[in-house]
């Protein structure tokens, strides 16, 4: 019984250790929150990246358009100058237009070359892309941590079930031991009575053996000393 009670106590302590110190629910909630936060951060940074991409595309297009438009204006002015010269018209105004168009083209090219906003935009764009990449890795890490912890929780749940079964088994063993103990006194008395009966039977058998031995001695005639029988004066069946 004592051994069964010790095993029951050990099983209950093991179950207590597996449940009292179990913070899996809180940890699981924390990991789920980490996944949510990382996904929200990724969404925000992706939106910021999209804005920078659109802005960068717009800025580059405006610079290119200014240069291209100046080039078109110069080409048109030169074509008009050539046409007027062939027709014998005064080309003074045409030359002025050509010179003005050339200056506009040079100015557009200079403005495009000196425009630092495009470079800054590219730097911001690269930084935003790097941040998005980091966010994506953070989301993946958070999800992996959540999946790993969920696997641990499932394993721990199975372990708790096994420990509960062990406790139930230990309690059943204690109950059986207690019943056996309660029946021990009655069984012991029965065994003592049976032993007493067997001892009494043994004594009766020993007395019967002694009586038989005494009786058998009457059937033997023994001479008090060694010698030779010369005459037999009795016959079988005589009582001496």
């Amino acid at each position: 019984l004592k051994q069964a009670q010790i095993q029951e106590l050990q099983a209950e302590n093991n179950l207590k250790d597996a449940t009292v110190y179990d913070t899996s629910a809180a940890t699981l909630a924390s990991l789920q929150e980490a996944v949510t936060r990382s996904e929200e951060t990724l969404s925000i940074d992706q939106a910021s990246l999209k804005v920078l991409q659109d802005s960068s595309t717009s800025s580059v297009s405006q610079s290119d358009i200014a240069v291209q438009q100046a080039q078109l204006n110069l080409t048109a002015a030169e074509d008009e100058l050539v046409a007027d010269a062939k027709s014998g018209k005064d080309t003074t105004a045409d030359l002025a237009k050509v010179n003005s168009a050339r200056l506009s083209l040079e100015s557009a090219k200079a403005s495009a070359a000196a425009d630092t906003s495009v470079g800054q935009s590219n730097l911001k764009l690269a930084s935003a892309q790097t941040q998005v990449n980091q966010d994506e890795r953070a989301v993946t890490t958070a999800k992996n941590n959540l999946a790993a912890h969920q696997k641990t929780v499932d394993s721990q749940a199975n372990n708790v079930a096994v420990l509960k079964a062990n406790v139930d088994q230990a309690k059943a063993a204690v109950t059986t031991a207690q019943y056996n103990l309660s029946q021990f006194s009655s069984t012991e008395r029965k065994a003592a009575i049976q032993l007493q009966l067997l001892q009494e039977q043994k004594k009766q058998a020993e007395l019967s053996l002694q009586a038989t031995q005494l009786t058998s001695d009457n059937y033997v005639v023994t001479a008090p000393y060694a010698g030779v029988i010369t005459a037999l004066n009795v016959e079988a069946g005589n009582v001496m």
Side-chain angles (χ1 to χ4, degrees):
L1 175 61
K2 185 175 182 180
Q3 183 65 29
Q5 289 173 333
I6 291 175
Q7 292 177 350
E8 180 186 13
L9 180 60
Q10 290 174 341
E12 289 177 344
N13 287 337
N14 291 337
L15 178 60
K16 181 179 180 181
D17 292 338
T19 54
V20 171
Y21 301 103
D22 180 21
T23 59
S24 58
T27 303
L28 185 62
S30 176
L31 291 173
Q32 289 175 332
E33 178 65 21
V35 171
T36 301
R37 288 198 304 269
S38 61
E39 289 177 338
E40 290 175 349
T41 301
L42 174 61
S43 179
I44 292 172
D45 289 340
Q46 285 176 333
S48 298
L49 176 61
K50 182 65 168 57
V51 171
L52 289 174
Q53 288 173 334
D54 294 341
S55 175
S56 176
T57 302
S58 176
S59 297
V60 172
S61 297
Q62 289 176 358
S63 298
D64 289 342
I65 289 173
V67 173
Q68 291 174 0
Q69 184 63 49
Q71 184 65 55
L72 291 174
N73 292 338
L74 175 60
T75 301
E78 289 175 343
D79 291 341
E80 185 177 358
L81 173 62
V82 171
D84 289 343
K86 287 182 178 181
S87 61
K89 295 181 179 181
D90 185 7
T91 58
T92 302
D94 295 333
L95 289 173
K97 288 182 178 180
V98 168
N99 291 332
S100 177
R102 286 176 179 173
L103 290 174
S104 296
L105 177 59
E106 292 175 359
S107 176
K109 289 181 177 180
S111 297
D115 187 6
T116 59
S117 62
V118 175
Q120 293 175 350
S121 178
N122 290 335
L123 289 176
K124 291 180 180 179
L125 184 63
S127 177
Q129 183 63 62
T130 300
Q131 185 62 48
V132 167
N133 294 339
Q134 292 176 349
D135 293 343
E136 289 174 343
R137 289 193 294 270
V139 169
T140 300
T141 299
K143 289 182 176 180
N144 290 339
N145 291 338
L146 177 61
H149 185 72
Q150 184 64 57
K151 184 177 180 180
T152 301
V153 169
D154 294 339
S155 176
Q156 187 175 18
N158 293 334
N159 186 44
V160 169
V162 171
L163 292 175
K164 286 182 178 178
N166 291 340
V167 170
D168 293 339
Q169 184 177 0
K171 288 183 177 180
V174 170
T175 301
T176 301
Q178 288 174 338
Y179 175 78
N180 292 337
L181 180 62
S182 66
Q183 297 298 313
F184 179 75
S185 58
S186 175
T187 303
E188 185 180 37
R189 287 195 299 271
K190 292 179 180 179
I193 294 174
Q194 186 175 7
L195 177 60
Q196 185 177 1
L197 291 174
L198 291 174
Q199 289 174 342
E200 185 65 27
Q201 291 176 359
K202 178 183 177 182
K203 290 180 180 180
Q204 294 294 333
E206 289 175 346
L207 292 175
S208 178
L209 176 59
Q210 291 176 359
T212 301
Q213 289 176 342
L214 291 175
T215 303
S216 64
D217 289 342
N218 293 331
Y219 293 94
V220 178
V221 178
T222 304
Y225 48 83
V228 178
I229 298 175
T230 57
L232 186 58
N233 298 323
V234 294
E235 296 179 357
N238 294 145
V239 178
M240 299 179 64

